[in-house]
């Protein structure tokens, strides 16, 4: 390696060390505008036209009730009593959709259709007209269309004793543009010439930096923080100017404060995720495995011929204890996340072992981070 190359490499290392720990982000990624939100819609409907893969009506009486009610609304009256529908091509479903902010009547929404009975598949079905209601009970959309299921199921043999093959999930489908907005949601954006920025994560330092960045660009007093999450900003009174102002505001770059040191552990999968703010005090970590295995061998004792005895089945339990050699690792104080990961990998700890090790380190006061178990 030449002297010039060595100096260049050293300069790159110095620049990397001198770089700020936090990277500038757009206000759009750090906060949302109060009043600009999605609304969930829900509806109950029927999917028809299935190829014998619908609900078993004897086990899902609500499907039959829904069909009878629909037919009555269409002017078809079934005899009272004595008529029990045996439906195979109909499935009761729940329809869900998300109403975006500022959606107007006539716009189309994507919907998800999910079986709520015991239908084997919704493939090839058609959703009948289904009202979509909001949390207030008002109808905001109307859904209908052909259900698209991204999977396939094959069964051979019949009678429950044959073989079957299923690819992907067959009881949930989607309809692109399957719902039409029928009612708009009122919005109070910019009411009183003020808008509110709501940080995605409450943080006093980040809120202060956002206020400082806005006031530096638009003038003192334009923005002020109400708390660690909400920031009030004075906006133009004209709707056209307000939209332009919000668009420019959201594209502003702000350096957020470093997040709190946190370790997230998933007890079901053994996953452990740590951010870079996690540090350790000087501690010693020992890791060893003790395994106990119990095996029962079955043997048959046969009596001698003409002895009058009988055959006896006996169990011969065998217990084995194995202790793997443990290691003790010393982690120096002020260790970074890289040092923590390196030390834990060096002792051969599995993800499941890390859950117990990190909890013990937290109890000992050596781990400077918040433990969150999900």
């Amino acid at each position: 390696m030449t002297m010039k190359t060595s100096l260049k490499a050293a300069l790159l290392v110095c620049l990397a060390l001198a770089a700020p720990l936090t990277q500038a982000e757009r206000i759009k990624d750090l906060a949302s505008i109060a009043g600009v939100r999605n609304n969930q819609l829900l509806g109950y409907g029927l999917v028809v036209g299935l190829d014998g893969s619908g609900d078993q009506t004897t086990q899902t009486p609500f499907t039959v009730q829904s069909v009878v009610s629909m037919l009555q609304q269409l002017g078809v009256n079934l005899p009272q009593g004595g008529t029990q529908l045996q439906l195979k091509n109909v499935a009761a479903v729940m329809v869900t959709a998300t109403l975006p902010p500022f959606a107007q009547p006539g716009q189309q929404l994507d919907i998800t259709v999910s079986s709520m009975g015991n239908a084997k598949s919704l493939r090839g079905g058609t959703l009948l007209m289904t009202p979509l209601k909001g949390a207030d009970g008002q109808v905001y959309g109307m859904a209908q269309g052909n259900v698209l299921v991204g999977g396939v199921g094959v069964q051979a043999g019949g009678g429950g004793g044959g073989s079957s093959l299923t690819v992907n999930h067959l009881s949930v489908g989607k309809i692109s543009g399957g719902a039409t907005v029928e009612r708009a949601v009122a919005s109070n954006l910019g009411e009183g010439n003020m808008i509110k920025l709501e940080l995605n994560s409450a943080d006093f330092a980040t809120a202060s930096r956002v206020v400082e960045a806005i006031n530096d660009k638009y003038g003192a007093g334009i923005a002020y923080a109400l708390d660690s999450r909400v920031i009030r900003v004075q906006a133009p009174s004209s709707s056209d100017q307000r939209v332009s102002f919000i668009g420019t505001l959201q594209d502003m770059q702000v350096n957020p404060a470093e997040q709190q040191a946190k370790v997230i552990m998933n007890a079901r999968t053994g996953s452990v995720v740590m951010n870079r703010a996690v540090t350790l005090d000087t501690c010693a970590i020992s890791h060893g495995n003790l395994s106990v295995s119990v095996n029962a061998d079955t043997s048959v004792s046969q009596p001698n011929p003409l002895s009058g005895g009988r055959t006896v089945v006996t169990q011969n339990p065998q217990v084995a204890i194995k202790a793997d050699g443990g290691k003790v690792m010393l982690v120096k104080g002020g260790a970074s996340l890289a040092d923590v990961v390196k030390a834990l990998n060096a002792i051969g700890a599995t993800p499941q072992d890390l859950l117990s090790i990190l909890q013990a380190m937290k109890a000992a006061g050596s781990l400077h981070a918040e433990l969150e178990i999900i």
Side-chain angles (χ1 to χ4, degrees):
M1 179 181 294
T2 63
M3 181 66 68
K4 182 177 181 181
T5 304
S6 300
L7 292 176
K8 184 176 181 180
L11 179 60
L12 292 176
V13 172
C14 294
L15 291 176
L17 295 175
L21 293 179
T22 58
Q23 184 178 1
E25 298 183 24
R26 298 178 303 173
I27 293 181
K28 180 186 299 184
D29 300 323
L30 294 175
S32 59
I33 307 295
V36 181
R37 48 159 292 178
N38 295 324
N39 291 277
Q40 286 70 39
L41 302 180
L42 177 67
Y44 169 80
L46 294 173
V47 171
V48 299
L50 302 175
D51 188 12
S53 60
D55 293 339
Q56 297 179 8
T57 52
T58 56
Q59 300 177 4
T60 56
F62 50 84
T63 304
V64 178
Q65 295 174 5
S66 302
V67 172
V68 172
S69 176
M70 179 193 65
L71 292 177
Q72 290 177 350
Q73 294 179 11
L74 296 177
V76 179
N77 295 321
L78 298 177
Q80 297 293 332
T83 301
Q84 186 171 359
L85 301 179
Q86 296 293 333
L87 306 174
K88 295 182 179 181
N89 301 334
V90 182
V93 296
M94 299 301 298
V95 183
T96 57
T98 300
L99 184 66
F102 312 118
Q104 298 299 315
Q107 291 183 328
Q108 293 182 333
L109 305 175
D110 295 340
I111 61 175
T112 301
V113 182
S114 306
S115 172
M116 63 177 301
N118 53 10
K120 297 178 181 178
S121 173
L122 298 180
R123 187 179 180 86
T126 300
L127 175 69
L128 300 182
M129 187 169 58
T130 303
L132 300 179
K133 298 182 179 181
D136 56 358
Q138 300 292 326
V139 176
Y140 288 90
M142 199 67 66
Q144 182 170 283
N146 298 324
V147 182
L148 177 62
V149 177
V152 64
V154 179
Q155 184 173 359
S163 60
S164 63
L165 173 65
T166 302
V167 179
N168 294 335
H169 207 58
L170 303 179
S171 58
V172 177
K174 295 185 70 67
I175 304 178
S176 298
T180 304
V181 178
E182 301 293 339
R183 183 197 301 266
V185 178
S187 175
N188 57 355
L189 177 65
E191 184 178 356
N193 296 336
M194 300 292 292
I195 63 173
K196 290 183 179 180
L197 294 177
E198 298 177 349
L199 296 179
N200 299 329
S201 299
D203 188 278
F204 287 101
T206 302
S208 177
R209 294 181 184 182
V210 171
V211 171
E212 182 180 358
I214 296 175
N215 288 336
D216 287 345
K217 182 173 183 178
Y218 293 102
I222 297 297
Y224 60 94
L226 299 179
D227 48 42
S228 62
R229 183 182 293 274
V230 181
I231 301 170
R232 297 194 65 178
V233 182
Q234 184 177 353
S237 57
S238 171
S239 60
D240 181 64
Q241 294 179 355
R242 187 185 305 122
V243 170
S244 177
F245 172 79
I246 294 176
T248 305
L249 182 69
Q250 289 185 322
D251 285 337
M252 292 180 58
Q253 300 283 335
V254 176
N255 290 321
E258 188 172 1
Q259 294 296 318
Q260 179 184 3
K262 180 176 289 188
V263 178
I264 300 178
M265 303 184 297
N266 191 323
R268 294 182 295 273
T269 62
S271 303
V272 178
V273 179
M274 299 176 282
N275 61 14
R276 64 183 178 187
V278 177
T279 57
L280 291 177
D281 280 340
T282 301
C283 62
I285 305 173
S286 176
H287 174 69
N289 293 325
L290 178 66
S291 59
V292 179
S293 60
V294 179
N295 297 321
D297 294 334
T298 302
S299 62
V300 179
S301 176
Q302 295 284 359
N304 294 325
L306 304 178
S307 63
R310 59 179 181 177
T311 302
V312 178
V313 179
T314 60
Q315 301 286 344
N316 299 321
Q318 298 179 355
V319 180
I321 300 177
K322 179 182 178 182
D324 296 335
K327 297 181 180 179
V328 179
M329 299 296 299
L330 176 65
V331 180
K332 297 181 179 180
S336 63
L337 175 61
D339 297 329
V340 175
V341 174
K342 182 179 179 181
L344 295 178
N345 287 334
I347 63 176
T350 64
Q352 291 293 344
D353 295 331
L354 289 181
L355 302 179
S356 301
I357 293 175
L358 292 174
Q359 286 180 332
M361 293 168 61
K362 177 68 175 179
S366 298
L367 177 64
H368 297 289
E370 175 187 356
L371 285 179
E372 180 178 348
I373 302 177
I374 59 177

